[in-house]
Structures are given as C-alpha cells and as structure tokens.
C-alpha cells in the first residue's frame, strides 16, 4: 500500500496592534516558538500597525491539525487575530 501524498498547507496569522505598538507586536510574533518547525516561516509588517505571519507545512490532509501562533495579550492588539488556511494547488516558476 502506498503512503498518501502530502500537500503543502499555508497558515496565515494576522493581527493589528494597538496604535504605535506594531514593532512590539512584530517582535512578540517572531519570538513565538512552535513545537515543530514549519517548512518555511515568514513575518511581514504593514501600515496601521498590522503584522502577518505565514507558515508553510507538509500535511497528509489539508485539514490536518497544525501548530499555530497563539493569540497575543489583549492589551497588545485591537481585535482578535485573523487566521486563514490555504492548500497549495500549484507552484509557478519564477
């Protein structure tokens, strides 16, 4: 019997910091360790003190549970974290 083919899943985590605390939120997000290393992890910043972290994972099933960044302390963010999950469908050449 052959093993199921793994797929790549990208988890996106996005939060908006309290005004003028975007650098602190970015530092907090980058310091969070996951119990397992993803294939790739990338952090972004944007206007209005927003921070985005994308992690890429191999998963047997696109719905498989994967480690995610936690919710920051409530006094650091203006709203709950937004989370999205995407399944890779193709890789286009650069």
């Amino acid at each position: 019997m052959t093993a199921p083919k793994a797929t790549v899943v990208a988890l996106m985590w996005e939060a908006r910091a309290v005004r003028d605390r975007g650098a602190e939120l970015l530092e907090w997000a980058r310091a969070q360790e996951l119990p397992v290393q993803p294939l790739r992890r990338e952090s972004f910043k944007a206007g209005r003190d927003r921070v985005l972290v994308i992690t890429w994972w191999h998963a047997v099933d696109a719905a498989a549970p994967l480690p995610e960044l936690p919710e920051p302390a409530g006094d650091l963010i203006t709203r709950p974290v937004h989370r999205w999950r995407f399944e890779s469908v193709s890789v286009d050449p650069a």
Side-chain angles (χ1 to χ4, degrees):
M1 180 175 207
T2 60
K5 183 179 178 187
T7 188
V8 174
V9 174
L11 299 181
M12 294 177 63
W13 177 102
E14 186 266 338
R16 184 170 175 198
V18 171
R19 186 176 183 176
D20 297 327
R21 293 182 69 188
E24 184 180 347
L25 178 60
L26 177 60
E27 182 180 323
W28 178 90
R30 294 184 69 202
Q32 300 308 300
E33 293 188 23
L34 296 168
V36 178
Q37 285 292 98
L39 295 170
R40 179 175 169 184
R41 176 175 171 166
E42 195 166 350
S43 300
F44 300 84
K45 65 180 183 173
R48 298 175 53 203
D49 294 304
R50 289 175 292 156
V51 172
L52 172 69
V53 179
I54 305 173
T55 55
W56 287 262
W57 304 88
H58 274 299
V60 174
D61 179 319
L66 296 167
E68 295 196 47
L69 294 177
E71 194 85 12
D75 66 339
L76 183 57
I77 55 176
T78 61
R79 57 165 168 73
V81 169
H82 291 177
R83 299 170 193 272
W84 297 275
R85 184 182 189 110
F86 294 91
E87 178 182 354
S88 178
V89 294
S90 70
V91 177
D92 300 325

